[in-house]
Amino acid sequence: MLCNCPTHELTAGLGNGASPLEPKRELKALLQPSRNWPMHQKACYVHQEQNLVIKLGSRYFLSGRNGVGKSTLLKAIAHRDNGLEEFPEDVTTYLFDQELRCMSDAREEEAVASYVMRRAMRRLEALRAEAAELERSGSMRSEEDAMDAEEACERLCEIYDLLDDLEGEAVSREEEVRVLLKGLGFRGGKENATISSLSGGWRARVGLACALIERPQILLLDEPTNHLDLRATTWLEKFLIKRYRGESLIFVTHDRAFAEVVATDIIEMADQRLAYANMGLAKFEEAKAKRATSTAVMQKNLDSKKKALEKQIRKQAELAAGSGSEKAGNRVAALSKKLGRTGLEKTADGKKWNAQKHGVRIGADNNNDGGWIKGRNGKKRMSAATHAKKNPQLGFGFKQADETSDDEGEKVFELRRPSFRYGDPQSSAFVLSAGEFGIHQKCRIAICGENGQGKTTLLKLLLGDLKPTRGEVKRMQGWRLFFMNQQSSEILSELSINPVELLMKETTKGVPELRQHLGRFGIIGAEALRPLKELSGGQRVRVAMSAGALRDPHLLVLDEPTNHLDMESIEALGEALANFDGGVVICTHDRALIKSVARDILLVEAGKAGIFQGTPEQYLNKFK
């Protein structure tokens, strides 16, 4: 066991993980209910069960919807703050975060390989400095400091032993750095590029290499596949399973295939609780679906039982009112009390309900999970963790086709051997060239290929942002396109207007209609009126898509649409795109989305673009 510490004080908006530039907002407890319970009820002690338990040799997938606090938990572990002050001090951790604060010591003009090697030897240099300081202070110590001298001597002996081991590993560490960088795509001299010359995506790869070379006891990875292509992602999967030398791993990802391959255990962060499962993702979801089905049956039986009790209460109340019978009045009171206590007979794991162990029954009116609404009991029917119900916040309201068809429809684009190059017009080295093919009204195409091979250039040619040096990209008239790239949601993060105000700039529709439209994309209630810069990344992606859908496009062109979305949202997006009443072109590395949407692969490889001769499944099988 590496760790078993309480987490119930984890709070959104606190800790070193929060940016000092961001204004402090209303605090929110992430792992305990924000309500008071009578002291005799089990629920008032629920915070005592919210412990972070990490076993030696396990790879944990931290699962949960956007906004539940997964990144906040990882940051709290790394910084030992925000409610996790009791995290063991002697257990080493390292956090690869999405903001790349882990690279704060990078020098802009330093070469990539030199920087990663410096990070690999950081502990060695720190021990050398500590040894030098102890040697210097020892020579100045008086005879009266004999006790301090003895302790310093013991520490020096420890350091010398560690230095012998680490200096012996120096050559192997250099080879390890080379292998890491090559696996993450730094080939052909790119490993010698300066940090300042790298894009945000390539900087993230450098940060990931630094994380993998650290070898802490617990490695924390927050969305490690965000900037990786399929080849680098599958390499990372194999590295973490077979070659990583740390003792345990906790990771957050929206890549379902990555989680299925890497995870040995699941930590689900939902309903302000941490739930543990000693199994992979596929088995966990299967078990969860079975529990949901069983709970739905119990809910149906519970509803019938409550209706029968309510009928008896009405009958006895009528009898009491008509005859003034005290016995009937007492019967009404007793039945009402019984109705308030009536809930599920079994717990989520199938055990018989025990009020002393489990508290108020789930589904009972006395268990007022719905809160008080205008002075009345909210009576939430079932906990979200136990009752399977379609969440309106997962939807993507693109226009859906009435029926599926293999008919591709008319051409929207026609590519006639276009080629494009940057720089000298006399050069014969083309950055990108393509064959002859069309993109049709009802297509389902996934643009795939390694990073740096020309996918972005191809998109710019399709959209008319670049003109071919040779050949032609012909766009047919009369077709409406919606294009969304990775910057579309980032631009929204700088705006103070709310989603409704944004959409009002695109249409003359009224506020009620626009709020309905946003609701179809999962932006419901107060979220539609919050400033865009205060929404989460996933919510801004939904707003950007809803704005594009207002134009009733015939063809969707989406560049990395899964960024900032959780797994359930990606699954819902895949379903919406597969059934969209129009054409879909997605540029993505997400294997689950490719499987659910694509009928064809437009492969960009070595500067050449063409339709892959095979099925999407056959293409993905190349990376197993």
Side-chain angles (χ1 to χ4, degrees):
M1 183 75 67
L2 282 174
C3 162
N4 188 347
C5 71
T7 61
H8 62 275
E9 292 184 0
L10 184 71
T11 306
L14 291 180
N16 291 328
S19 168
L21 300 178
E22 295 175 359
K24 294 297 181 186
R25 310 201 180 282
E26 183 181 355
L27 300 182
K28 175 186 175 184
L30 296 176
L31 288 173
Q32 58 175 313
S34 56
R35 56 164 290 179
N36 295 320
W37 292 83
M39 290 303 291
H40 67 278
Q41 292 187 5
K42 179 182 181 293
C44 74
Y45 304 106
V46 73
H47 65 277
Q48 296 179 358
E49 301 173 3
Q50 298 308 304
N51 275 23
L52 179 69
V53 181
I54 305 300
K55 298 178 297 183
L56 192 68
S58 296
R59 298 187 296 271
Y60 292 91
F61 168 44
L62 181 56
S63 165
R65 289 180 179 166
N66 288 344
V68 298
K70 302 186 296 294
S71 295
T72 302
L73 177 57
L74 293 186
K75 289 172 183 175
I77 295 170
H79 298 295
R80 266 78 165 180
D81 67 359
N82 195 4
L84 271 81
E85 288 80 4
E86 294 186 30
F87 190 91
E89 284 293 334
D90 59 338
V91 175
T92 57
T93 63
Y94 185 92
L95 171 63
F96 169 75
D97 59 319
Q98 296 184 60
E99 297 84 9
L100 296 183
R101 292 181 187 141
C102 56
M103 288 181 61
S104 58
D105 65 337
R107 301 165 190 156
E108 290 297 302
E109 298 309 313
E110 190 172 11
V112 169
S114 298
Y115 173 60
V116 179
M117 189 62 196
R118 176 162 65 85
R119 292 294 296 266
M121 305 305 289
R122 188 166 58 168
R123 190 178 178 216
L124 176 63
E125 294 304 323
L127 287 170
R128 283 173 176 168
E130 186 182 351
E133 176 61 25
L134 287 171
E135 289 167 354
R136 186 189 65 80
S137 59
S139 63
M140 300 171 60
R141 193 173 283 115
S142 66
E143 293 182 5
E144 296 175 359
D145 299 328
M147 182 65 71
D148 291 341
E150 186 176 343
E151 291 177 0
C153 185
E154 288 179 4
R155 176 57 182 158
L156 266 174
C157 291
E158 289 177 15
I159 292 173
Y160 291 148
D161 288 340
L162 289 170
L163 286 174
D164 286 341
D165 294 336
L166 292 174
E167 286 170 349
E169 290 181 7
V171 175
S172 63
R173 294 288 269 174
E174 191 170 343
E175 174 63 15
E176 190 176 349
V177 167
R178 188 190 67 78
V179 170
L180 278 174
L181 291 175
K182 184 178 178 182
L184 291 170
F186 290 91
R187 306 184 191 94
K190 198 171 182 72
E191 67 276 12
N192 297 319
T194 60
I195 300 291
S196 61
S197 68
L198 300 178
S199 66
W202 284 99
R203 278 179 179 248
R205 292 183 183 220
V206 175
L208 187 54
C210 292
L212 297 175
I213 203 73
E214 281 284 332
R215 300 182 194 165
Q217 287 173 281
I218 301 179
L219 178 62
L220 310 167
L221 301 178
D222 193 359
E223 295 289 359
T225 66
N226 254 4
H227 299 282
L228 302 184
D229 53 39
L230 278 175
R231 189 175 300 280
T233 299
T234 51
W235 175 87
L236 179 60
E237 290 171 354
K238 293 172 184 174
F239 181 86
L240 291 173
I241 293 170
K242 298 179 181 179
R243 301 185 63 176
Y244 178 63
R245 298 183 186 178
E247 294 180 11
S248 194
L249 167 69
I250 307 175
F251 66 94
V252 173
T253 184
H254 65 261
D255 188 328
R256 176 178 294 277
F258 180 84
E260 286 178 347
V261 171
V262 175
T264 59
D265 293 76
I266 307 294
I267 303 176
E268 185 181 37
M269 198 170 182
D271 278 4
Q272 298 179 299
R273 295 172 182 269
L274 295 177
Y276 295 84
N278 184 21
M279 59 185 73
L281 180 60
K283 288 185 177 179
F284 173 74
E285 290 186 327
E286 184 181 342
K288 191 175 177 181
K290 286 181 179 178
R291 285 199 304 272
T293 302
S294 173
T295 302
V297 172
M298 288 193 290
Q299 175 71 67
K300 187 177 179 180
N301 294 337
L302 177 60
D303 289 344
S304 299
K305 188 182 292 186
K306 283 187 174 183
K307 284 179 182 177
L309 282 171
E310 288 167 354
K311 186 177 180 180
Q312 289 184 55
I313 290 170
R314 286 195 300 271
K315 184 177 179 181
Q316 292 296 325
E318 289 170 4
L319 183 61
S323 64
S325 168
E326 183 181 352
K327 186 176 180 181
N330 291 338
R331 183 67 176 153
V332 169
L335 287 170
S336 297
K337 189 179 289 186
K338 182 177 181 181
L339 178 62
R341 293 194 301 261
T342 300
L344 296 186
E345 297 295 328
K346 294 184 178 180
T347 62
D349 54 1
K351 295 177 182 176
K352 187 175 180 181
W353 203 278
N354 183 304
Q356 294 297 319
K357 291 181 180 179
H358 308 121
V360 180
R361 295 174 188 269
I362 292 177
D365 292 348
N366 288 355
N367 185 0
N368 181 16
D369 287 337
W372 295 94
I373 302 171
K374 295 182 180 180
R376 307 186 74 172
N377 192 328
K379 294 184 182 180
K380 186 187 287 186
R381 287 182 58 189
M382 194 66 66
S383 163
T386 55
H387 183 46
K389 187 178 181 181
K390 192 166 184 178
N391 188 337
Q393 291 181 288
L394 294 179
F396 290 88
F398 292 113
K399 185 178 179 181
Q400 302 291 281
D402 294 329
E403 57 184 27
T404 58
S405 172
D406 291 331
D407 181 18
E408 292 281 274
E410 300 178 45
K411 281 184 183 178
V412 179
F413 291 104
E414 186 175 352
L415 283 77
R416 299 173 178 174
R417 297 189 179 278
S419 298
F420 180 83
R421 54 177 159 72
Y422 294 96
D424 183 6
Q426 303 303 318
S427 170
S428 60
F430 288 92
V431 170
L432 180 71
S433 61
E436 289 191 9
F437 56 89
I439 295 178
H440 296 75
Q441 175 195 2
K442 301 287 186 181
C443 68
R444 296 289 184 272
I445 294 174
I447 300 177
C448 298
E450 292 186 32
N451 291 345
Q453 296 299 307
K455 299 190 298 297
T456 300
T457 301
L458 177 61
L459 285 174
K460 288 180 177 179
L461 286 171
L462 290 175
L463 298 166
D465 295 338
L466 294 175
K467 300 296 181 185
T469 309
R470 295 179 187 170
E472 183 183 8
V473 176
K474 187 175 180 180
R475 178 174 169 180
M476 308 305 174
Q477 297 299 312
W479 300 107
R480 292 185 299 275
L481 268 67
F482 167 52
F483 172 63
M484 191 188 83
N485 61 13
Q486 300 174 59
Q487 286 73 47
S488 299
S489 64
E490 293 173 12
I491 293 170
L492 298 183
S493 68
E494 302 170 4
L495 302 180
S496 298
I497 61 174
N498 63 47
V500 172
E501 292 168 335
L502 178 75
L503 266 57
M504 287 175 72
K505 295 182 177 182
E506 304 285 337
T507 180
T508 57
K509 292 181 179 179
V511 172
E513 279 185 281
L514 292 179
R515 293 195 67 170
Q516 267 191 341
H517 178 76
L518 285 165
R520 288 193 287 272
F521 282 83
I523 305 299
I524 61 177
E527 292 170 359
L529 302 176
R530 285 180 63 193
L532 286 161
K533 63 183 181 182
E534 293 184 11
L535 297 180
S536 69
Q539 288 169 330
R540 286 194 290 268
V541 168
R542 292 172 177 276
V543 172
M545 289 185 178
S546 71
L550 272 178
R551 302 162 202 152
D552 195 18
H554 300 107
L555 182 69
L556 306 177
V557 182
L558 308 177
D559 185 12
E560 296 294 352
T562 62
N563 281 1
H564 305 294
L565 298 180
D566 56 42
M567 281 188 186
E568 289 179 276
S569 295
I570 292 171
E571 189 176 332
L573 177 63
E575 184 179 339
L577 294 180
N579 297 316
F580 173 60
D581 189 17
V584 178
V585 177
I586 52 172
C587 184
T588 184
H589 302 300
D590 192 287
R591 287 163 283 185
L593 190 65
I594 293 171
K595 285 179 181 178
S596 62
V597 176
R599 291 197 296 261
D600 294 292
I601 300 293
L602 178 47
L603 182 60
V604 183
E605 195 171 43
K608 294 184 179 181
I611 300 296
F612 176 73
Q613 299 303 306
T615 65
E617 188 174 352
Q618 288 171 329
Y619 172 73
L620 293 174
N621 284 340
K622 292 167 56 180
F623 299 96
K624 287 186 176 179

